[in-house]
Amino acid sequence: MEYRKTSPSHRGFPPLKRTLQVGKLVAAVAVLLVLGALTLLAGAAAYFQLERSLPSMQSLRDYRPSIVSTMYAADGTVIGELAAERRYVRPLEEFPRHVILAFLAAEDANFYEHKGLDFGSIVRAMIKNIEAGGIVQGGSTITQQVVKTLLLSPERTWVRKLKEAILAYRIDRSMTKEEILYLYLNQIYLGAGAYGVEAAARTYFGVGAHDLSLAQAALLAGLPKAPSRYSPFHNLEKALERQHYVLDRMVEVGFLSQEEALRARQEPLHLLESLEGTTYPLNSFTEEVRRLMEQKYGARMLYREGLSIHTTLDVHAQHLAERAVLEGLRELDKRHGYRGPHGHVEDSQTADFSQALAKKYASPNPGDVVEAVVISCEAQERRCRVDLGAKRTAVLNLKTAPWAAGYFASRRHLFSKGDLVWVRVEAQGSDTTPWVVSLEQEPQAEGALLAINPHTGRVLCMVGGKDFSKSQFNRATQAYRQPGSAFKPIIYATALEKGYTEASVLIDSPIVKEDPSLVGSWKPANYDNAFWGPITLRDALIHSRNVVAIKLLESVGIQEVHEMARRLGIRSPLTPTLSLALGASGVSLWELVSAYSAFAAQGLRVEPYMVEAVYDRNGRLLEKHQVRQERALSPQTAYILTDILQGVIREGTGRSVRSINRPASGKTGTTNELKDAWFVGYTPDLLTGVWVGHDDHRLSLGPKETGGKAAAPIWLSFMREYLRGSPVENFPVPENIVFAKIPKKSVESPAEGGRETFAAFVEGTQPKGPQDTTTLTGSSTESAAETTSGSFFKSDLFWGND
């Protein structure tokens, strides 16, 4: 029997080729499934990784953006804004409908239809980006822009765009459209430092968002795409093109009719001229408050948390004080002659410089001091033509500047063409008549002024220098200069507290003191280099007799005067030597004014203050100033000192301010070699201190520039103008004060007798007769020759001139 293998095909199995094909198909499917699964897993992992990196949306629900801190004057006027980002958050209902529609048309017309993403816009943007090989265009909705500005970094990558899309979708599901719009309109950057529509409205038009016209709203709505490119301050033509686009879009999407859009195009914008119109003039007062607030609350809270800072500033007083200081320094400068032009421009530069002047001084008014370029001069007529810029030609008549005669006396040519000079506008010109100006020059000396209410300490105004834009150094609070004789009332207050009276007789005679810090003996002198002999305490202070002050200090004790100064608010270190009597220890104007507040307020000293109250962004009170008075002197001592200091103004070293024509007390101060000039004075409700000097303490103010001549006129100018129209008041007299006649001296004839004046006394201490006086000779070394002599060697040291 023969056996053969049976073919599988004979048993009903398919052919081998077909089997292989099925296997490949199965394998392929398996691979695809595996790849799909891996892709899904990778995608899921990537998604979960991406989701873990997504920021929390809680910050949107707790929206707390950086907003402006605002500084207010005493009358509620805004005087300053402090911010990292200029933003004012407003509820959605405060934005007019046409403002909202303008932004919707420009940025996201389908805002109320989509779910956070506008896929049609995304597809169009993707095509553009693929064609460009990078991200050049976005299809961002308003919701996506909120995500981008509040939740994500600004880089332009596909990963960030994906995150943005996910978050936009989630936000749209978790927040209402109104909530999203509220975030957008308050957060979006619109150029020129303005964040949000409210800030932009103020920045570009000087109005609030609720007052924006349709034309203004359309211009603002065109800014988010490129704030710098479409800035109306830098490129008005481009800004208007963008405005027209927004108006056309509003018509296209049905928000406006064609007629309404046409009228909006023709509406005037009332655009501010520049960013300067949105800022507030800075000065020493606002800067000092800013510094104090930053020190107390920290930079983040001050610049980001929208504090409301209510200050004590009287805007009118600040204006008068700044003018008084500058004009007083100008007069001081003129007393020492003209120094000549402060610069020169060549012919090739004249046209450009003239344009710069026109921009710097857009509309000078009579009284303004401006820079000018000399065009030509007529030496015989002593007259020049100068260019003020903007095709304004002025006539400068040098005959009206006798203070500059010394400079021109030996000059054949008054000025050269192109010289730069300072001039004051006297009269504005027209197309047919030239302007009229007078010669000026920038003062070299500096000055400071501080005015307070002596009963509360409220600072009405503060001037820290002649030009805050050039120097922010505050000479009212940061400069420590020798006060000269302005310190003497502290010594006299100590003496009055220890039993001296206005009638106490002191001896104005030479003294010699050994001082190891000097080469030879110390021989202090009076300003007039004369000695008046016996003199009452009242006259000694009124006429600021130096030697008497030294003897009085020695009598009452240096330590006692130190303690009195501390009670009066002097915190600076004080020298433990007799030179303290002549104001040899540096103090600030702030300290000295604080000390004088006790004299003006019946012995109760107050610390000056500048901030009344501070509120947070929600209106919660953070601080409120409480007036704190400290008893430094008895009411009687304070009044007696006030009575003497009235004599300083009526007949003493402060006679230059007698024209204030109302009860006032004050004291002059001048330091060694005329380097510092002071005047501190007060009426019943206003206390003002003035300092004049150079920042370089080595420089002198010039011959005869005493406190009465250099500082007192500034005080008078401010006080007279500020008190104009206010009732004349007398200083209140405390109980147990009586008045009696005592002898007096005059500066014209100090040796002449027979004159009398009324003086104030604590009841029971008034003199009963001509012999009822206390005489102080001092414990110094004196010689008979020095006692009768009225002069000293030229090497004699001398402090506290007046």
Side-chain angles (χ1 to χ4, degrees):
M1 180 178 291
E2 184 178 357
Y3 294 90
R4 293 183 298 176
K5 293 182 178 181
T6 305
S7 170
S9 61
H10 296 158
R11 300 175 184 173
F13 292 100
L16 180 60
K17 185 176 181 180
R18 185 177 178 184
T19 300
L20 291 172
Q21 290 174 343
V22 172
K24 289 179 178 180
L25 180 60
V26 171
V29 171
V31 169
L32 288 174
L33 289 173
V34 171
L35 289 175
L38 290 173
T39 301
L40 287 174
L41 287 172
Y47 175 78
F48 288 121
Q49 180 66 29
L50 183 67
E51 188 177 55
R52 279 198 299 269
S53 67
L54 292 176
S56 169
M57 294 190 297
Q58 187 63 36
S59 61
L60 299 184
R61 299 185 182 93
D62 303 328
Y63 182 58
R64 191 182 178 88
S66 171
I67 60 175
V68 172
S69 288
T70 306
M71 196 182 299
Y72 299 93
D75 63 358
T77 304
V78 177
I79 56 174
E81 292 183 337
L82 305 165
E85 297 177 353
R86 193 179 190 218
R87 178 186 289 106
Y88 312 86
V89 175
R90 295 290 181 264
L92 187 63
E93 53 267 24
E94 289 192 12
F95 294 103
R97 182 172 180 273
H98 61 268
V99 172
I100 296 174
L101 293 179
F103 278 90
L104 290 178
E107 294 295 311
D108 190 357
N110 299 322
F111 175 71
Y112 281 97
E113 281 73 47
H114 62 64
K115 299 298 182 183
L117 300 170
D118 189 341
F119 291 103
S121 296
I122 292 174
V123 169
R124 288 192 298 272
M126 287 180 63
I127 293 172
K128 290 285 187 182
N129 294 336
I130 291 171
E131 291 175 351
I135 298 177
V136 296
Q137 180 175 323
S140 297
T141 62
I142 281 177
T143 312
Q144 287 175 276
Q145 292 185 55
V146 168
V147 170
K148 181 168 59 178
T149 57
L150 287 172
L151 297 178
L152 297 175
S153 56
E155 77 267 16
R156 299 168 71 86
T157 66
W158 292 104
V159 173
R160 193 200 62 79
K161 291 296 290 183
L162 185 57
K163 290 181 179 180
E164 181 184 297
I166 295 170
L167 289 170
Y169 177 73
R170 291 183 177 180
I171 289 171
D172 200 82
R173 293 184 63 187
S174 62
M175 299 179 72
T176 66
K177 292 291 186 180
E178 286 71 25
E179 289 172 333
I180 296 170
L181 263 180
Y182 161 76
L183 295 175
Y184 175 77
L185 294 175
N186 282 299
Q187 186 67 24
I188 192 70
Y189 180 62
L190 294 169
Y195 291 81
V197 177
E198 176 69 24
R202 298 187 187 194
T203 298
Y204 293 111
F205 307 113
V207 299
H210 58 280
D211 290 325
L212 286 170
S213 67
L214 175 58
Q216 293 170 333
L219 187 141
L220 294 185
L223 293 175
K225 183 178 180 181
S228 296
R229 186 191 312 164
Y230 297 120
S231 169
F233 288 152
H234 302 139
N235 196 332
L236 183 57
E237 185 178 347
K238 284 285 186 184
L240 291 174
E241 287 179 11
R242 185 67 179 163
Q243 178 210 42
H244 295 167
Y245 163 78
V246 173
L247 291 170
D248 290 343
R249 281 288 294 157
M250 294 180 75
V251 172
E252 184 181 334
V253 298
F255 293 164
L256 282 184
S257 68
Q258 191 67 52
E259 291 74 17
E260 289 173 318
L262 183 60
R263 283 198 299 271
R265 287 190 181 204
Q266 296 171 346
E267 282 182 19
L269 285 174
H270 301 296
L271 188 71
L272 296 178
E273 291 186 4
S274 68
L275 280 172
E276 292 181 2
T278 69
T279 59
Y280 298 92
L282 298 177
N283 55 50
S284 298
F285 184 98
T286 56
E287 171 59 16
E288 189 70 12
V289 171
R290 183 207 64 77
R291 187 183 65 80
L292 293 172
M293 291 294 97
E294 183 173 343
Q295 186 180 61
K296 187 166 189 177
Y297 294 103
R300 176 172 180 79
M301 193 164 185
L302 179 60
Y303 299 113
R304 296 184 179 276
E305 290 302 315
L307 300 178
S308 293
I309 305 163
H310 296 264
T311 75
T312 62
L313 181 70
D314 183 318
V315 176
H316 177 58
Q318 183 70 22
H319 172 72
L320 293 178
E322 290 174 355
R323 187 174 67 185
V325 169
L326 186 55
E327 290 302 313
L329 294 178
R330 289 190 191 282
E331 289 304 312
L332 162 66
D333 206 63
K334 289 177 182 178
R335 287 197 289 270
H336 303 285
Y338 187 56
R339 295 185 296 275
H342 61 273
H344 184 86
V345 293
E346 300 298 332
D347 286 347
S348 59
Q349 302 172 320
T350 302
D352 290 341
F353 195 84
S354 181
Q355 291 180 0
L357 290 179
K359 185 176 181 180
K360 186 176 181 181
Y361 308 110
S363 181
N365 296 309
D368 290 350
V369 175
V370 299
E371 200 172 14
V373 183
V374 175
I375 300 172
S376 63
C377 288
E378 301 172 34
Q380 188 171 356
E381 297 295 327
R382 303 189 69 76
R383 183 172 58 197
C384 296
R385 289 173 58 244
V386 298
D387 177 19
L388 304 178
K391 299 181 180 179
R392 294 185 294 248
T393 301
V395 174
L396 171 60
N397 186 355
L398 295 175
K399 293 178 182 178
T400 63
W403 59 275
Y407 175 81
F408 296 112
S410 59
R411 292 177 60 86
R412 182 173 300 176
H413 304 288
L414 301 177
F415 291 116
S416 299
K417 182 180 179 182
D419 280 347
L420 301 181
V421 295
W422 293 101
V423 296
R424 183 187 298 272
V425 176
E426 301 293 345
Q428 294 175 322
S430 64
D431 293 337
T432 56
T433 59
W435 292 50
V436 178
V437 297
S438 59
L439 188 65
E440 285 286 346
Q441 72 180 359
E442 286 293 273
Q444 292 183 320
E446 276 290 354
L449 182 150
L450 177 65
I452 72 169
N453 180 312
H455 305 285
T456 64
R458 174 190 164 208
V459 175
L460 279 72
C461 59
M462 174 191 289
V463 179
K466 63 175 179 277
D467 190 341
F468 183 81
S469 67
K470 294 179 181 178
S471 171
Q472 288 76 55
F473 180 65
N474 191 335
R475 296 157 188 85
T477 61
Q478 297 173 309
Y480 292 84
R481 305 294 291 252
Q482 294 175 345
S485 296
F487 189 85
K488 288 177 182 174
I490 298 175
I491 300 169
Y492 280 76
T494 309
L496 290 170
E497 289 277 273
K498 290 178 73 70
Y500 282 82
T501 72
E502 291 197 44
S504 296
V505 176
L506 315 174
I507 304 300
D508 183 12
S509 61
I511 59 173
V512 178
K513 290 290 182 180
E514 297 301 324
D515 189 336
S517 67
L518 301 174
V519 178
S521 301
W522 181 42
K523 299 178 181 179
N526 293 310
Y527 178 62
D528 58 3
N529 271 333
F531 297 93
W532 292 7
I535 186 172
T536 63
L537 180 143
R538 174 186 175 86
D539 279 338
L541 182 54
I542 284 176
H543 299 292
S544 202
R545 307 307 291 172
N546 290 340
V547 174
V548 174
I550 295 169
K551 292 181 179 181
L552 192 60
L553 173 62
E554 189 173 32
S555 174
V556 300
I558 294 174
Q559 184 58 39
E560 283 75 8
V561 171
H562 274 218
E563 292 174 1
M564 174 63 73
R566 295 290 178 251
R567 292 207 304 272
L568 291 170
I570 303 294
R571 300 290 175 257
S572 298
L574 299 174
T575 176
T577 66
L578 292 177
S579 62
L580 181 64
L582 307 181
S585 295
V587 298
S588 68
L589 180 60
W590 181 281
E591 289 177 298
L592 203 56
V593 166
S594 177
Y596 275 63
S597 71
F599 308 154
Q602 296 198 343
L604 293 172
R605 185 192 77 85
V606 291
E607 186 69 24
Y609 74 99
M610 307 173 71
V611 177
E612 291 282 7
V614 179
Y615 298 85
D616 68 10
R617 66 195 296 159
N618 298 316
R620 183 171 61 92
L621 181 66
L622 298 180
E623 69 170 88
K624 185 174 180 63
H625 182 79
Q626 299 294 328
V627 175
R628 291 182 295 274
Q629 294 179 312
E630 299 175 355
R631 174 62 65 187
L633 301 169
S634 70
Q636 293 74 24
T637 295
Y639 180 79
I640 292 170
L641 197 59
T642 292
D643 181 59
I644 298 173
L645 295 180
Q646 286 188 80
V648 171
I649 291 177
R650 286 197 298 261
E651 56 194 277
T653 57
R655 293 188 305 278
S656 60
V657 302
R658 281 180 297 185
S659 59
I660 192 172
N661 292 327
R662 62 175 65 227
S665 297
K667 184 68 185 78
T668 55
T670 314
T671 60
N672 192 31
E673 298 177 359
L674 307 173
K675 294 176 180 178
D676 301 88
W678 301 74
F679 190 85
V680 184
Y682 52 93
T683 59
D685 293 314
L686 181 60
L687 165 59
T688 300
V690 175
W691 167 85
V692 174
H694 290 279
D695 286 339
D696 184 347
H697 62 83
R698 297 170 298 180
L699 299 179
S700 171
L701 289 170
K704 300 183 180 180
E705 295 297 349
T706 62
K709 190 173 184 180
I714 296 174
W715 182 91
L716 176 64
S717 173
F718 168 74
M719 295 286 283
R720 187 164 51 195
E721 288 302 312
Y722 185 74
L723 294 172
R724 187 182 299 278
S726 63
V728 175
E729 297 180 6
N730 289 306
F731 290 102
V733 182
E735 60 182 8
N736 297 327
I737 288 291
V738 297
F739 295 86
K741 282 186 176 183
I742 64 171
K744 76 167 185 176
K745 292 181 181 289
S746 70
V747 69
E748 292 84 6
S749 53
E752 184 179 333
R755 298 169 181 255
E756 289 184 318
T757 188
F758 277 101
F761 298 87
V762 176
E763 189 171 8
T765 66
Q766 68 268 31
K768 304 298 189 298
Q771 304 303 318
D772 188 14
T773 59
T774 302
T775 303
L776 171 69
T777 60
S779 58
S780 57
T781 302
E782 302 177 9
S783 69
E786 288 172 330
T787 302
T788 58
S789 172
S791 63
F792 268 78
F793 297 106
K794 292 184 179 179
S795 61
D796 291 342
L797 296 177
F798 128 139
W799 297 77
N801 300 313
D802 67 348

